[in-house]
Every structure is written in C-alpha cells, then in structure tokens.
Amino acid sequence: MPSRHATPGSSISAHRPAREAAEAALVEHYPALVRLAYLVLPPALGRHRRVLAAHALVQNSLAEAPGRARSGTSRTGTPPVGAALPGQRSGERTAHAWLRATVVRAALRPPRRFGPPFPLVLGLRLFPRAGGTDELALDRALAEAAPATRAALALRTLEGLPADATARLLASAGVADPAAALRAAERIGAASGTDVETLLRSAEFDPCTVHTRPTDLLRRRRHTRLAALAGALLLVTAGAAVTAGIRAGTEPEPVASPAAPTRALDPTALLRTPADRWADTARVDLTAWPARGAGTADTALLRRALDTWARGPGDGVRRTATPGTPVSPPAEPPRLLFAGTVDGAGVVLLYDGARLVRYAEPRDGRGPAALDLARADDADVTTGAAVVLTRTPGRARYLLAPWIAEAAVRDLGAPGTAARPLDVTPDGVTGPVPYDIPSTAGAPGRAPGACAGVTALQLRSSSLIVEDHAFLLADLGELAPAHLTWTPPPGAGAPARAPREATGARGLAAWARSACSLAALHGAGVRSVNRWEYAEQILPERAGRARWVCSRVDTWEGSGRAAVSFEAPGGAAPRPVAELPDTAACGRFGQHVLAGTYWTARSGTRYLLAAGSRRLTGVTAGGAVTATARGPFLTARATGEGPVRLTGRLSDGSALAGLTGLP
C-alpha cells in the first residue's frame, strides 16, 4: 500500500510565482505568515528575538522569489529540475502557498544569523501580549514539542491544510517523518482542553501586535561610554560573531568536563541570571530567577554553602532531603538565586537544574548550620513561584519569583474571609507568614469540618507572563510550596473539565472542605494537589446531594497517589472511602473512577451508594449487596454489611474496577 505521506521527491511540482504576485501575496498575508513563523521558530530564542526572527524570515522570503538572479533559479521563475512544492487547495493563490512553504522551510531550519532586512530595535524589548492559563499551558506544550510538530499544528489549525497536504509540505521542507509530526500535533490539540485554533489566534501568539518595554535604563550611559571600545572589539571578533548567529534566549547549561567538580565549588563560577530575563524567555521557571539578596557578593558565605553541600553527612550540619532527592554535590556550577541575612540567619539558595538547595547558618554562631535539598526539576510558573527562605516556630518567609506581581495570605478554612495583602521587599522576600501543621478545630467563620491553621499563599503573575492568573500555594514543609487546584463537577452535556485555579468562590469553598487532608502530606515531596469533584449524587429519602471527590497528589519524584472521599450534605466532615498509594488514577492518565460506600439515612435505613465519573454507562455491585444500575450512579438498600465488589462499564464497553474500602 503506498504511503499517505509524500516523500520530498514526490511532492507536487509548482512554478515559483512572478515577483509581483509574491509581493502582493506578502502584503496581503503578512500577519498570518509572521504568526506561522513565530510558532515554528524555537521558543528558546526568547520572545523578543523570536518576534524579530519571525518578521525577518517573512521579509527575507521575497529573496527567494524571481526578480533577483539567484543560483539555480531563472528570471522566468522556473525552478530547477527536482525542485518541488506541495500542492495547493482548490482556489488558493499560488503565490501565497509558495510563500507559506518558503516560510515554513526557513523556520524549521533558521539561519545562524539574519542578513538584511533584519528588523532593528534598540533600547526596547518586544513581546506579544500575555494570554490566560490555557494559552500559557499551550505555549509550554509547544516549547517542549519538536519544530516539525509545531509546524504541523500551525498548518493544520491556522492555515487549514488537510493532513495529506501538510505532510507533503513538511516533507518538502526536509522533515524526515511528517506522519509522526502530525500525530504529535493532534495530541497537543487534544490535550489543550480548549479550541486550539482559538488559542493559537490569540494575542499570546501574535508577533504583529506586541508590547514594548525599555531595556536596562541605568546601564545605558555606561554602555554609551564603552561604545568606542565595543566597536573595536567587534572588528576583532567579527569572524567569531558570524558563526555565533542566533543563540537561545536562555542561558545554556555548562558542559560537563573533568574539572567540573572543582569548578562547581567555586563561588565566582556560580551562574547568575540577568534581572530582566524572566520577562523574555520561553522557560518561566527557576532558571529565570535572578540572583537576589544583599549577600550575593559575599564570597565567604557562598563558599561555605558550596563546601557544606560537597562534604556530605558527618560534619555536624543538620541535613534534610525530600523523598527521591539525590544528596550528591553539584557536578557543575549551580545557579545562585539568593544570598543574604533573613531572620538572623545567613541564607544561600541555589539551583542546579534539578534540585533546590538551601543553606542556612545562624549569624550569632549559636546552633548548627542547616542544608536542605529538594527536587525542583520541571518547575513552572506556579510550582516555581515561591521558595521557603526561613521557617521559625509559627511563621515562615518566602522568596517569590520575579514574575509575581501581587502576593496575599488566606486561611483555607475560612473561604469567605478576604485574603490579607502580604508585604514583599524589592528583593522578593515576603513578610512573615503564619505556618503550622494543620489541626482539626472549630472556629467561628470556618466551613463545617474545616481545619484551623491552614494558611495558603495567593499569588498573581505579572501580565507580562500570563494575563489575570492567580493561584494558591500551600506550605507542606518543603522548600517549594505545593500548588492547589480543583476540578468542578461535570456539567450536563459539558465536555470533560480540566483542573483550574482554586482562587474563585467555588474553588475556595471546595478547598475549605479538603484543608484537613493536607496535614498527612507534610514532608512527602508534594508538587501539586488537585481536588476533583467527579460526581454529585442525589441521596435517597430526599436527603440532598452528596459530593464524590478524588484528590490527586503528584510528587516531585514523579509518583502520585489518589484518595476518594464522600461528602454528605449538611457540613459533615468528608468520609474517606479509598486510598491508592502509587497510581495514575484521578489524573491525566487515569480519567475514570468508580467508588462506593455505605450510608445511613435519617430514617435508619442503610444504603450502598456508588458513583462514577462521566464516562460510565453502568454500575454493578456484587457481594454483600447485589444490584445493577444504568449510568454512573447506583443506590441500593443494604440489609447487612460486608465486602462489596463494584464494576463499572465505560462507554467503549470496557470494564472499570470500583474502589470501596468496605469491610
């Protein structure tokens, strides 16, 4: 059977358009072509360079058009033998299709440096307007995807090309496996949770409508004075500069070498991120944190921190490490995030690309130093938004990410109480925040069954990163607080819902009912916790509606756990139903759940209740109670007590084992 996707040699041949037609098509379709180039170009360029590069590629595409004598191209516009371009859709202008293919080919293999006409911008940084959380999630997925995958998604979604035409265009551009790129693009679109075309057409991905901000104004005068010297140096190093070309907007990680361990312990070799890097990078994580604090030049303090990290146990230093965190010394110079005095202690915060390390020594010399290590790989705009600097009895201070614009503190047990603004120094150090392991206690103004002493940080990201994005973090005794999200109950006929931030009234009310569950997670290396209200069941005897909740806990080491609970109306504390210690259930790769428990009505009648997620079409109970029901809910009288086996039937006909935890 012949392949669906054409190889480069079998693409449909087409003549290059006349230069006048190419110029007209460029003017007409310029915004769409620049957006296409922007999406395909490497996100590692940073937003500023990526915007300029996208415009440069489109503007330089005319250099490929007839009208200028080029090697291998005649003035009549006839391509050399063997040249090929994908076929166009019916009625589409050939010039536009030719420009589109040219832009995609150039963006997939961008030149190491751009010649004229390259847009020149001095003293300003350009970046598209920040979108919402959906746009941010899609941007992160695209940053992790291969260039061919980004191209396939843009061509299919924005340009409306069918799969076969997209495959031919990619093949003609040199993509080895267009089919794999198309499949990967489909997965990204399916995982977005929102219409991916709407997201790609949003301002987040529009390099033609940009915001500007100045570069470092304070350093311009010094730069002017050094201009003559810089010009001389450029003349000397011009040859090297030509080979450097466009480099990634993020600082490259050092390459391992035999001398790396020695260099890794040199405080002068610590990596330091420029203060404004966070606003123009594709990696909004701990690598974008600048070095802050009054002690960043304290070489002695930095050396003691590095030496302590390298020595290992047995030196009288109090050491801790979260589960799954290697305690080995750094192999390369780590990144300096903070150094200074906080609450009477000299504190150094380091990041080696996978681990956060906090060194603290009492300034008065009383007591041992402390070294704490924690996994922090793949941190993002939320899980990399705050790090604990000091924790003293009853309170803690945090260092906030440079992209945090607003900070507040709220009591999870009192969702109706407004968040209290939190003082933050120019270096990003917060004022003291109440901290204690949660304990069950009633208090006026708290939700029934809620916990006392569950404090959460409520942070809001800068609009330069993501628009109108607030989120909750809970300190669970780690260096990095855990991200709290929630997934609301399914709506009638509505598509599956994705986890969302819990800063709205409903999300806060939901977490008030789950605040007590956080106490068991202290010290477990928790990265995030999502409260999924997967079903609402009508109780018999007109007793109201009960909620079925599956709380998903993901850790930094990659494992996850899930706990199902039953929440009866009337404010009773949630009843644990089942726990799964190491599972994909209730997460992205385990989207189906079924659980059951006994419940006693006010009349004294006992019932077996079971509820499943939205894809269940039937539930069967066996054992102490035998019953069958259509749909995701089952309610049956129970004459006794005993083990019950639950089996759910999914819409595709497969079976799902239920969770009960029943004796």
Side-chain angles (χ1 to χ4, degrees), residues 592 613-619 631-632 648-656:
H592 309 302
S613 49
R614 59 193 300 273
R615 293 290 185 185
L616 267 70
T617 59
V619 180
R649 186 172 61 258
L650 295 170
S651 56
D652 61 1
S654 59
L656 176 69

Side-chain angles (χ1 to χ4, degrees), residues 538-544 599-607 637:
I538 299 177
L539 297 176
E541 303 185 18
R542 298 182 179 180
W599 175 79
T600 303
R602 290 183 178 179
S603 65
T605 305
R606 195 153 177 82
Y607 293 89
R637 288 178 178 267

Side-chain angles (χ1 to χ4, degrees), residues 331-425:
E332 296 289 345
R335 193 175 304 274
L336 177 61
L337 305 184
F338 180 87
T341 301
V342 183
D343 289 338
V347 179
V348 177
L349 194 63
L350 303 168
Y351 177 64
D352 70 349
R355 298 170 294 176
L356 273 170
V357 178
R358 182 186 62 188
Y359 170 80
E361 60 179 29
R363 285 300 196 187
D364 59 8
R366 300 178 182 178
L371 188 76
D372 303 293
L373 295 91
R375 289 277 294 269
D377 42 326
D378 202 29
D380 56 23
V381 68
T382 55
T383 55
V387 176
V388 175
L389 280 181
T390 63
R391 188 180 284 118
T392 55
R395 69 179 192 175
R397 291 184 192 268
Y398 305 87
L399 181 66
L400 301 183
W403 58 80
I404 296 302
E406 297 177 14
V409 177
R410 67 162 54 255
D411 183 351
L412 283 183
T417 303
R420 175 175 60 84
L422 181 60
D423 293 332
V424 182
T425 70

